[in-house]
Amino acid sequence: MPTRRTSRLTIAATLVAAAAVALSGCSSSGTATSTPAASAASAISADRCATNKAAGTITYITGFQYQASASILDILAAKQLGYFDALCLDVEIQPGTGDTAGNAQLVAAGTATITDLGGDADLLLAQSNGVNVTGIATYGQVPITTLMTGTSITDLKQLEGTTLGQKGQLPPEINAMLVANGVDVAKINQVVVGYDPTILPRGQVQSLTGYKSNEPLTLKADGDDVKLWNPEDYDIPGTFGTVAANPAFVSANKTATEDFLRAAFHAYTYCETNASECVGYAAALAGGGASYDVDHNVEVWQTETGLVKSSQPAGTPLGSLNTDLMAKEISFLVDSKQLSTAPDVTAFTDPSIVSAIYNGTELIWPAP
């Protein structure tokens, strides 16, 4: 979910400095002294360490560059804080372009190991298109997509005959919301647009898809008044921050897969109260400078973690796959003709990964 300013893909020298600061103050026992960083192999048994090392390099592709989203920022922070090292994991992070469907294809092919998708619906649609990946976690249990219009729009049917801007495809939750409101989607002129939301108040499009944690924040900061049409207000289910992995890797490397999420969720908790520090790591990876909007990304992170917290079912830990919610998503995808049949989700999801790293709702850290 890109910010209004794209990030440079080169890793500047500031990354080295940031990593050095992050890894300073480590203790041999794996507990933090002046910083929360962990020493290499300090939180794991020798046998588990050997098993994780044998898994080889885990290549993680972000959903979009180094944006401070849930399922991206916490993984960047886990790398910089030494949490992956503490679990003997060799993690390589590559910035994605925003093409999450393409990322899923890379993971299915084994070119990459793990990526974050837009949500469970994207996982379902990937499977229906023959892209074989395994869903191992989901962060947010509410749609993060939104449809923005001018304040003069009071009925979605008014969008028929107008132009809608989207990022390559109409998000399934938005499509379902339009259909549920009696809109003939074929009568809307859809165009692919970039990541500048000001095209909406300028009148270049009459509606624009986006993310609650991104474009509305930009428009609000610019003083533009727009109306948000949210799928959940029309009983359209949704999720965000779905983590997908290569099925063969998961099958052969259960402990490494578990510990990847363990380190990510450990960093997530830290970043909840240290947002600026964690965003600083992302900024360093992006090369620093004016091209990375730090303040905006802090807002992105705080908005998304707020959505994760407010949507988390009681008594369940972060990352849990919600089979009941997924069943509802399947139903709306079938009803809106985005899926032809209801798939067997047990064939491409593995809830045991998350359950193995928690004691109830408490993350087990360090690893057993």
Side-chain angles (χ1 to χ4, degrees), residues 33-66:
T33 53
S34 59
T35 77
S39 341
S42 63
I44 198 168
S45 69
D47 287 345
R48 194 175 184 100
C49 180
T51 300
N52 282 354
K53 284 184 176 180
T57 300
I58 296 173
T59 302
Y60 165 74
I61 301 181
T62 73
F64 179 77
Q65 297 193 27
Y66 301 112

Side-chain angles (χ1 to χ4, degrees), residues 159-224:
L159 297 181
E160 293 180 1
T162 68
T163 299
L164 178 151
Q166 39 97 327
K167 310 298 192 296
Q169 64 179 9
L170 189 62
E173 298 89 353
I174 301 300
N175 185 89
M177 178 179 68
L178 292 170
V179 171
N181 279 272
V183 178
D184 185 346
V185 178
K187 293 182 179 179
I188 297 176
N189 176 36
Q190 296 186 44
V191 296
V192 176
V193 299
Y195 296 100
D196 176 10
T198 63
I199 62 173
L200 177 62
R202 290 202 305 266
Q204 293 174 266
V205 296
Q206 286 68 56
S207 59
L208 179 67
T209 64
Y211 303 94
K212 297 181 179 80
S213 58
N214 189 21
E215 291 91 347
L217 302 179
T218 298
L219 293 172
K220 182 178 179 181
D222 290 343
D224 293 313

Side-chain angles (χ1 to χ4, degrees), residues 235-294:
D235 296 322
I236 304 298
T239 49
F240 68 92
T242 296
V243 181
N246 177 272
F249 180 87
V250 174
S251 178
N253 302 282
K254 278 294 181 74
T255 63
T257 308
E258 291 168 7
D259 288 347
F260 178 89
L261 288 183
R262 189 191 310 276
F265 294 165
H266 191 46
Y268 183 98
T269 300
Y270 179 76
C271 293
E272 281 187 294
T273 52
N274 296 276
S276 295
E277 177 187 340
C278 292
V279 171
Y281 298 144
L285 281 163
S291 64
Y292 193 90
D293 192 333
V294 172

Side-chain angles (χ1 to χ4, degrees), residues 6-358:
T6 56
S7 305
R8 292 199 299 269
L9 304 185
T10 56
I11 300 177
T14 48
L15 168 58
V16 178
V21 171
L23 296 176
S24 64
C26 300
S27 68
S28 60
S29 66
T31 57
T33 53
S34 59
T35 77
S39 341
S42 63
I44 198 168
S45 69
D47 287 345
R48 194 175 184 100
C49 180
T51 300
N52 282 354
K53 284 184 176 180
T57 300
I58 296 173
T59 302
Y60 165 74
I61 301 181
T62 73
F64 179 77
Q65 297 193 27
Y66 301 112
Q67 176 151 305
S69 291
S71 77
I72 297 179
L73 184 64
D74 47 306
I75 293 171
L76 304 181
K79 173 84 169 177
Q80 299 301 76
L81 292 168
Y83 294 166
F84 290 130
D85 287 341
L87 301 178
C88 296
L89 295 175
D90 177 15
V91 177
E92 174 186 309
I93 296 174
Q94 295 181 359
T97 63
D99 179 8
T100 54
N103 288 352
Q105 291 175 342
L106 292 174
V107 169
T111 305
T113 317
I114 298 174
T115 191
D116 60 289
L117 302 176
D120 290 350
D122 297 276
L123 172 66
L124 295 164
L125 292 173
Q127 285 294 327
S128 72
N129 291 325
V131 180
N132 187 24
V133 293
T134 297
I136 58 173
T138 296
Y139 284 68
Q141 315 261 332
V142 66
I144 198 166
T145 55
T146 188
L147 182 68
M148 295 162 281
T149 70
T151 55
S152 63
I153 300 296
T154 58
D155 187 322
L156 287 172
K157 283 186 66 65
Q158 291 175 255
L159 297 181
E160 293 180 1
T162 68
T163 299
L164 178 151
Q166 39 97 327
K167 310 298 192 296
Q169 64 179 9
L170 189 62
E173 298 89 353
I174 301 300
N175 185 89
M177 178 179 68
L178 292 170
V179 171
N181 279 272
V183 178
D184 185 346
V185 178
K187 293 182 179 179
I188 297 176
N189 176 36
Q190 296 186 44
V191 296
V192 176
V193 299
Y195 296 100
D196 176 10
T198 63
I199 62 173
L200 177 62
R202 290 202 305 266
Q204 293 174 266
V205 296
Q206 286 68 56
S207 59
L208 179 67
T209 64
Y211 303 94
K212 297 181 179 80
S213 58
N214 189 21
E215 291 91 347
L217 302 179
T218 298
L219 293 172
K220 182 178 179 181
D222 290 343
D224 293 313
D225 189 16
V226 297
K227 184 169 184 177
L228 303 184
W229 301 80
N230 295 321
E232 64 270 25
D233 295 335
Y234 299 91
D235 296 322
I236 304 298
T239 49
F240 68 92
T242 296
V243 181
N246 177 272
F249 180 87
V250 174
S251 178
N253 302 282
K254 278 294 181 74
T255 63
T257 308
E258 291 168 7
D259 288 347
F260 178 89
L261 288 183
R262 189 191 310 276
F265 294 165
H266 191 46
Y268 183 98
T269 300
Y270 179 76
C271 293
E272 281 187 294
T273 52
N274 296 276
S276 295
E277 177 187 340
C278 292
V279 171
Y281 298 144
L285 281 163
S291 64
Y292 193 90
D293 192 333
V294 172
D295 291 340
H296 177 77
N297 273 279
V298 168
E299 279 195 284
V300 169
W301 173 251
Q302 292 174 335
T303 300
E304 293 201 9
T305 54
L307 289 169
V308 169
K309 184 176 182 179
S310 64
S311 66
Q312 189 71 41
T316 64
L318 172 70
S320 298
L321 294 173
N322 188 332
T323 55
D324 291 339
L325 183 55
M326 193 175 291
K328 292 178 181 178
E329 291 191 76
I330 290 171
S331 180
F332 94 72
L333 287 171
V334 171
D335 290 346
S336 59
K337 302 188 182 340
Q338 296 175 76
L339 281 180
S340 57
T341 58
D344 176 11
V345 298
T346 63
F348 53 87
T349 59
D350 190 346
S352 72
I353 303 300
V354 169
S355 62
I357 64 176
Y358 279 96

